[in-house]
Amino acid sequence: MSRGNHTTKNGFTLVGFSDVPELQYFLFSVFLSVFFMSLSAHMFLIVLYRFSKNLHTPMYFFLANFSFLEICYISTVTPKMLVNLLSGDKSITFYGCAVQTYCFLLLASTECYILAAMAYDRYNAICHPLLYNITVNREACIKLIVGSWSIGLMIAIIQTFLTFSLPFCGPNKINHFYCDIPPIMALACTDTKFNEIITFVLVLCVVVGAFLLIMVSYIQITWTIVKHHSIRGIRKAFSTCTSHLIVVIIFYGSASVMYLRPKSSYGTDGDKFISLMYTIIAPLLNPFIYSLRNNDVKVAVKKLMPKIKIRTIIFYKN
């Protein structure tokens, strides 16, 4: 990575929410609570999947992998943001910033296609139930997960290399709470049109492409339900699909707004709010909408809780 003569030596400064110093402790409390709630919910789902035989299906295999991804995803951004809210030193090294950007891009890109894989699973379960066990077998599930991570890895390598190969001559202040592509490119002291084009193309392929796959799946699901199900079934299906689509729109919509813009609009305070939607809000909502409202999960919880109580009693007696 080529280095500029100022920024790369001293690293960067994450401005974060320093423009509202009177709210630092309040924001810290809110984001810390959201962080632990997200971690707890996703960890609980992984444990539930591991110890509940009735959840050993393709749908919950995807959800367990999705929860693991979300734990890594929120852990990439939130801890540094929390430290910066309480610390006067908001600096991050050049390579530390590059690593955070790489991890974020890897996980965010992978999440796009895991969400698409989950929609594909539901499409086959509802639209082609007789062929479901053949189409979405264990081998197919593993291939979809590996493929999603492979796409994320490729996107992360390309974007991180291109971004941190730019010369940065100062100022070194990133008007954001984590190292993200648009605000970093705004600091480059050279023409970034090539990088902007590559970013635009990759976002179209990853974010928009995955979003269209999800929308096509849900349209097919809705059409199948309307044709073959009762009024009660239609209401239930629409309720579930609507909940899922709300999270999908929050994640994909905010990400698209953030990345499909010209360089001239980078670095505004509004970017922080947009980024909060897909870095903090969506990971919090996902476990409750995708899993904890399902009847299968409720049954698994009822079966697992007595076992946990018995083991806890035995532990304390010993």
Side-chain angles (χ1 to χ4, degrees), residues 5 16 25 64 105 227 258:
N5 54 18
Y25 292 108
L105 291 172
K227 280 172 58 180
M258 187 67 184

Side-chain angles (χ1 to χ4, degrees), residues 194-268:
F194 177 74
N195 294 65
E196 291 178 60
I197 292 171
I198 295 297
T199 300
F200 185 84
V201 171
L202 292 178
V203 170
L204 281 179
C205 294
V206 177
V207 178
V208 179
F211 178 74
L212 289 176
L213 289 174
I214 292 172
M215 292 304 297
V216 169
S217 297
Y218 276 119
I219 289 170
Q220 291 291 330
I221 288 170
T222 302
W223 177 247
T224 301
I225 291 170
V226 170
K227 280 172 58 180
H228 302 290
H229 289 70
S230 64
I231 298 298
R232 184 180 177 184
I234 291 172
R235 287 176 180 173
K236 182 179 177 181
F238 272 118
S239 174
T240 302
C241 289
T242 301
S243 300
H244 291 187
L245 285 174
I246 288 171
V247 175
V248 167
I249 289 170
I250 288 174
F251 181 78
Y252 286 94
S254 54
S256 297
V257 170
M258 187 67 184
Y259 292 99
L260 295 176
R261 295 182 302 164
K263 181 181 176 180
S264 58
S265 60
Y266 293 167
T268 63

Side-chain angles (χ1 to χ4, degrees), residues 84-106:
N84 287 351
L85 282 170
L86 293 183
S87 173
D89 181 15
K90 303 181 186 299
S91 63
I92 184 170
T93 65
F94 176 79
Y95 291 108
C97 191
V99 169
Q100 187 184 58
T101 301
Y102 170 80
C103 292
F104 174 77
L105 291 172
L106 167 63

Side-chain angles (χ1 to χ4, degrees), residues 38-52 55 60 63-64 66-68 71 286-293 297 301:
S38 298
L39 283 181
S40 301
H42 287 295
M43 287 179 179
F44 178 72
L45 287 174
I46 292 173
V47 171
L48 197 63
Y49 171 78
R50 173 66 179 81
F51 294 102
S52 302
L55 298 184
Y60 293 102
L63 285 171
F66 182 65
S67 288
F68 170 75
I71 289 171
N286 285 338
F288 298 99
I289 290 178
Y290 278 102
S291 304
L292 298 181
R293 295 172 70 242
V297 173
V301 170

Side-chain angles (χ1 to χ4, degrees), residues 59-122:
M59 174 183 175
Y60 293 102
F61 172 78
F62 285 123
L63 285 171
N65 279 275
F66 182 65
S67 288
F68 170 75
L69 174 71
E70 289 278 73
I71 289 171
C72 299
Y73 180 65
I74 58 177
S75 299
T76 298
V77 174
T78 311
K80 180 62 177 174
M81 178 180 67
L82 292 172
V83 170
N84 287 351
L85 282 170
L86 293 183
S87 173
D89 181 15
K90 303 181 186 299
S91 63
I92 184 170
T93 65
F94 176 79
Y95 291 108
C97 191
V99 169
Q100 187 184 58
T101 301
Y102 170 80
C103 292
F104 174 77
L105 291 172
L106 167 63
L107 297 165
S109 301
T110 302
E111 179 167 333
C112 287
Y113 276 95
I114 287 186
L115 285 171
M118 290 163 61
Y120 173 73
D121 169 69
R122 292 298 82 205

